[in-house]
Amino acid sequence: MHAKSALALIPVLALLSGAPALAQEQTILPGYWDVTNKVSAIISQTKTEKRCITPAEVSKFVMGPSNRHYKCDYPTRVFKDGKIRLKGDCATKNGSKASVEATGTYSPTTFTMNAKISTVYAGVPLSANAITTAKRIAESCPAKPTAD
């Protein structure tokens, strides 16, 4: 996996894979969120977006990096008392692998996760850091524009 692939592992809030629901613990509230992702590897990249998180998407949002480009498995997945701890591995469809370890905090209206990613490409160890910060800015999402 090259550096760009390492970066692709953590557009952290492409956190959307089919993650199981959290048992009995409320993590974040659904609503309209302001989300910033900062990835630092060979270069740094920051992306900020406003996004609607529905009740069905809450667990996928908070449960750890994974998306359509790679699949992640987190044997260590702890969300308790406002603290987050994840540890696992991700693999791309072509078999490239990376280790991910993340810690953070959450409340019903805030979310912060710091992730460290480690991989090897052509025998050279590569690492990246990713930080996601999110703040709920409204209880409901704006109405989608209608076609005229």
Side-chain angles (χ1 to χ4, degrees):
M1 177 179 318
H2 55 72
K4 188 168 182 157
S5 294
L7 288 175
L9 277 176
I10 306 286
V12 174
L13 289 176
L15 298 178
L16 302 176
S17 70
L22 297 174
Q24 303 299 317
E25 172 123 5
Q26 175 66 49
T27 54
I28 65 168
L29 293 171
Y32 198 46
W33 286 72
D34 186 51
V35 180
T36 299
N37 295 304
K38 182 177 182 181
V39 179
S40 300
I42 295 171
I43 60 168
S44 291
Q45 180 180 357
T46 301
K47 179 182 176 186
T48 299
E49 66 180 338
K50 290 185 176 31
R51 95 178 264 184
C52 186
I53 299 174
T54 66
E57 293 172 327
V58 167
S59 67
K60 292 189 289 183
F61 181 87
V62 300
M63 291 308 283
S66 198
N67 69 23
R68 69 177 192 267
H69 301 291
Y70 53 90
K71 180 171 177 16
C72 299
D73 180 36
Y74 297 100
T76 300
R77 188 181 299 223
V78 179
F79 280 77
K80 188 172 182 177
D81 300 327
K83 297 201 185 312
I84 304 164
R85 192 166 63 93
L86 299 171
K87 188 172 183 179
D89 297 298
C90 297
T92 63
K93 292 178 184 177
N94 70 4
S96 297
K97 295 182 181 181
S99 297
V100 178
E101 192 163 346
T103 58
T105 59
Y106 67 91
S107 75
T109 59
T110 62
F111 178 89
T112 300
M113 186 181 320
N114 300 304
K116 295 186 185 307
I117 307 131
S118 302
T119 191
V120 175
Y121 179 72
V124 177
L126 297 174
S127 63
N129 292 316
I131 300 170
T132 296
T133 56
K135 181 178 180 182
R136 186 173 183 240
I137 53 177
E139 187 174 319
S140 56
C141 298
K144 292 183 180 180
T146 57
D148 289 333

